[in-house]
Amino acid sequence: MTLGVTLAQTNAVNYVDDTVEQSRSAANHGVKSVWFGQRMDYDSPLLAAIVGREVPGLQVGTSAIPIVGRHPLLVSSQAQTAQAATHGRYHLGLALGSAFAAQAFGLPFDRPIARLREFLTGLRELLDTGTADFHGDLLTVTPPWPAAVAGAQPRVPVLVAAMGPQALRVSGELADGILPFLAGPKALSEHIVPPLTAAAATPQRIVAFVPGVVTAEVEAARAKAAEQLAFYEQVPSYRRVLDLEGAGRAADVAIIGDEETVAAGIQRYYDAGATEVVLSATDLAGAADQIRTWKLVGELSR
């Protein structure tokens, strides 16, 4: 099994220092990979690079950087620098973004699938060759100097937070895999894996992100999950996969219970076609149960 967890700080004194320490603790409990979201504050590739540098052997990834407001040249530079810093342990996750994210940059959120295709085309050319000569309708990628970073080997894997049919098609053609979130086993096996596989010429990584925690306080944790995840129920892409799963609430797909329950829930995602599983919201039931969850992830990883 290939397993990981997401990490995020609350009430941090120093976000970078606290994340490094939390990552080191997760690794000490057997966790093999940690992932960081991209918000409006810290820079996730830089954070991943620092963590990967400070915690030897730990795989680090970003899930996911919205492409709206960003350019392939800048993302390529960030990703390659993180790859060199971690000696090949960095995983780049991208997302289409949203009108909400675009508004922060004062940009329109139009033609997202076309932008994804052009972004991935330019980015892959940069990562594959160290340069590019791409001219699209929405993006131009023509660096006047070499764009390869020495030591950024192997080539940075590119994953996309794709769940809709069009995004899955583009990702299958141009990326190395996908990062579905809140897509339960049924939605994954019936509506996500088949179109991705059909569009891909090579095997794809399917990294399923699932809220999950090992705890005896099941009802309290599920109530907190319902509160924290309610936002996603209003986002069309997440609402769609929840409906495909037959889940009324986002918390319905969370895996919450004892070690046996969570391990069985994780296995259902592998049975549905996931190649990797990442547990998010492992702090739902407090620090002690978060460590309990990390220990299970470590045990299953072995």
Side-chain angles (χ1 to χ4, degrees), residues 182-188 191 240-247 253 269:
L182 297 181
K186 181 175 183 289
L188 197 66
H191 302 280
R240 174 180 173 273
V241 293
L242 290 171
D243 290 342
L244 291 173
E245 186 67 23
V253 301
Y269 282 85

Side-chain angles (χ1 to χ4, degrees), residues 245-269:
E245 186 67 23
R249 302 292 305 274
D252 294 342
V253 301
I255 308 172
I256 302 173
D258 61 15
E259 282 82 357
E260 184 178 350
T261 298
V262 174
I266 289 170
Q267 185 60 51
R268 284 195 289 273
Y269 282 85

Side-chain angles (χ1 to χ4, degrees), residues 170-207:
V170 174
S171 299
E173 294 173 7
L174 297 171
D176 300 302
I178 59 169
L179 305 162
F181 176 53
L182 297 181
K186 181 175 183 289
L188 197 66
S189 65
E190 296 180 7
H191 302 280
I192 292 178
V193 174
L196 177 72
T197 303
T202 57
Q204 294 283 291
R205 290 173 60 185
I206 300 168
V207 188

